[in-house]
Amino acid sequence: MKKLVTVFLAATILAAPMAQAQGRHDYGHDGRGVHERTVTTKKVIIKKHRWDRGQRLTPAERRHFVDRREYRRYHLREPRRNERWVRVDNQFLLINAVSGLIIGLAAAR
């Protein structure tokens, strides 16, 4: 009985380091060398246009209308007939709704 317990004890002592070595997960290492990962980041450049009176907005920019009921929320004056407030690049532009010409400017608050 003592010999059997001694054999089992010796087997567990010898098997413990082997089990521990097998449990190690080394992803990305295939034994041939060290692999480096290259990470590239993309730099985003945002160009903002400087708006002035008399310039014309494109139809795509005119689609960003502020609702007529919300002009008071942004402390803007009430637009007259055929005028609309448009928010472009965090600026409010008062434009002629028919031609797209900029009549007035206001910064967003």
Side-chain angles (χ1 to χ4, degrees):
M1 182 75 176
K2 277 186 177 179
K3 288 183 182 180
L4 185 63
V5 172
T6 308
V7 170
F8 283 132
L9 184 61
T12 56
I13 291 174
L14 293 174
M18 289 189 298
Q20 197 174 30
Q22 288 177 354
R24 185 174 154 214
H25 298 287
D26 191 13
Y27 298 110
H29 180 69
D30 57 359
R32 291 183 284 185
V34 179
H35 298 285
E36 293 183 18
R37 293 183 185 175
T38 305
V39 178
T40 57
T41 57
K42 183 178 179 182
K43 185 175 180 180
V44 178
I45 298 173
I46 300 172
K47 291 185 179 180
K48 291 195 175 184
H49 188 74
R50 184 167 180 243
W51 300 105
D52 290 321
R53 287 186 183 125
Q55 289 181 334
R56 187 177 305 270
L57 288 177
T58 64
E61 292 164 337
R62 281 190 249 164
R63 288 188 196 112
H64 300 286
F65 290 126
V66 174
D67 191 7
R68 282 187 61 89
R69 293 169 288 178
E70 290 189 358
Y71 60 88
R72 286 191 185 106
R73 175 181 167 193
Y74 297 106
H75 307 288
L76 303 170
R77 72 170 178 84
E78 182 177 0
R80 289 186 231 150
R81 187 174 173 181
N82 290 331
E83 292 180 351
R84 293 195 180 171
W85 284 105
V86 179
R87 188 173 186 170
V88 181
D89 294 336
N90 207 23
Q91 281 187 332
F92 288 103
L93 309 175
L94 182 63
I95 65 165
N96 185 326
V98 178
S99 65
L101 288 175
I102 298 176
I103 301 168
L105 303 163
R109 298 176 195 177

